[in-house]
Amino acid sequence: AYEVLCLHTKSKPGLVVSLKKCIPIGSGLGGGSSDAASFLLGVNRLLNLKLGPKALLRLGAQVGSDVPFFIEDTAFALVEGRGEKLQKLDCKRGYFFVIVSFKKGFPTKKMYEDLDRKSRQPVSLTSVRANVKLCASLLNHQKLTQAKRFFRNDFLPVAEEKLSRISKVIRAWSQQDIPCLMSGSGSSVFA
């Protein structure tokens, strides 16, 4: 994020940055992406760079695919492309989550490589968009059981091959009719 910012501003501000990781590395919870987004937002404010939202989103997309989501001021969004195309979704209901995080993490880059090696069915983006919007609407109306049929994570089969405990946690919650899914490229599972 620092390098991208220096290239964009054509300057090299002298900064000392300290980062304390609280989100487990390789957990699929967006820790690195949110750190990068927070850095860009914080330095923009601290140094009064006057970078607007569009410029920050572009810079974030250069850093990583999930960074723009954390730059945008939203809790729910349909994200497409490399992460630079965001459409905010209205999903304001308060839910709480339980997250199971494993010591074994999965580097996102490696997960994409493994996913690409597996044969995948072509996905209809029109169908995905409609499903995401329908899911958000159901969540807004507290229809969690109906919404869970739209929960999907293409990384799950790849992750299950690497760590069978993911399947056990999902199966245990599913047997109790608790909506759950693996987060991001894994390895955390949420309900």
Side-chain angles (χ1 to χ4, degrees):
Y2 178 75
E3 290 171 4
V4 166
L5 187 67
C6 289
L7 283 171
H8 180 78
T9 60
K10 295 178 178 61
S11 67
K12 205 166 192 174
L15 299 172
V16 176
V17 178
S18 176
L19 175 65
K20 181 181 177 189
K21 295 293 287 181
C22 295
I23 297 174
I25 295 171
S27 62
L29 296 171
S33 297
S34 63
D35 290 340
S38 295
F39 174 82
L40 291 171
L41 290 165
V43 171
N44 186 43
R45 177 183 262 176
L46 179 71
L47 301 179
N48 198 25
L49 298 176
K50 296 183 169 80
L51 297 173
K54 287 183 181 179
L56 285 167
L57 288 172
R58 276 194 309 273
L59 291 175
Q62 291 175 43
V63 176
S65 296
D66 293 340
V67 177
F69 174 80
F70 291 102
I71 289 174
E72 191 66 63
D73 185 23
T74 186
F76 296 91
L78 173 60
V79 182
E80 296 180 284
R82 282 198 60 255
E84 77 284 3
K85 298 175 188 169
L86 283 104
Q87 178 184 354
K88 290 183 182 183
L89 295 174
D90 179 31
C91 194
K92 306 273 189 252
R93 295 289 178 177
Y95 290 98
F96 68 92
F97 295 85
V98 175
I99 299 172
V100 174
S101 188
F102 302 98
K103 286 184 181 178
K104 182 175 183 176
F106 304 144
T108 303
K109 183 176 186 245
K110 176 80 170 106
M111 290 298 286
Y112 270 103
E113 289 168 359
D114 292 349
L115 184 63
D116 286 342
R117 275 195 283 278
K118 285 184 161 283
S119 63
R120 293 188 287 169
Q121 299 284 336
V123 175
S124 163
L125 289 181
T126 303
S127 173
V128 169
R129 284 185 198 107
N131 288 349
V132 168
K133 288 178 182 176
L134 183 55
C135 184
S137 175
L138 290 167
L139 290 172
N140 269 336
H141 292 93
Q142 299 281 317
K143 296 182 179 181
L144 193 53
T145 304
Q146 292 96 327
K148 76 177 182 179
R149 75 174 188 255
F150 297 106
F151 289 10
R152 177 180 151 186
N153 187 331
D154 290 340
F155 286 110
L156 186 57
V158 176
E160 289 173 322
E161 289 176 4
K162 297 174 183 296
L163 186 63
S164 63
R165 287 182 287 164
I166 291 171
S167 303
K168 291 176 185 171
V169 170
I170 290 175
R171 192 169 35 256
W173 276 332
S174 295
Q175 287 171 347
Q176 297 176 55
D177 205 28
I178 298 171
C180 60
L181 193 61
M182 185 178 77
S183 181
S185 57
S187 62
S188 294
V189 177
F190 69 91

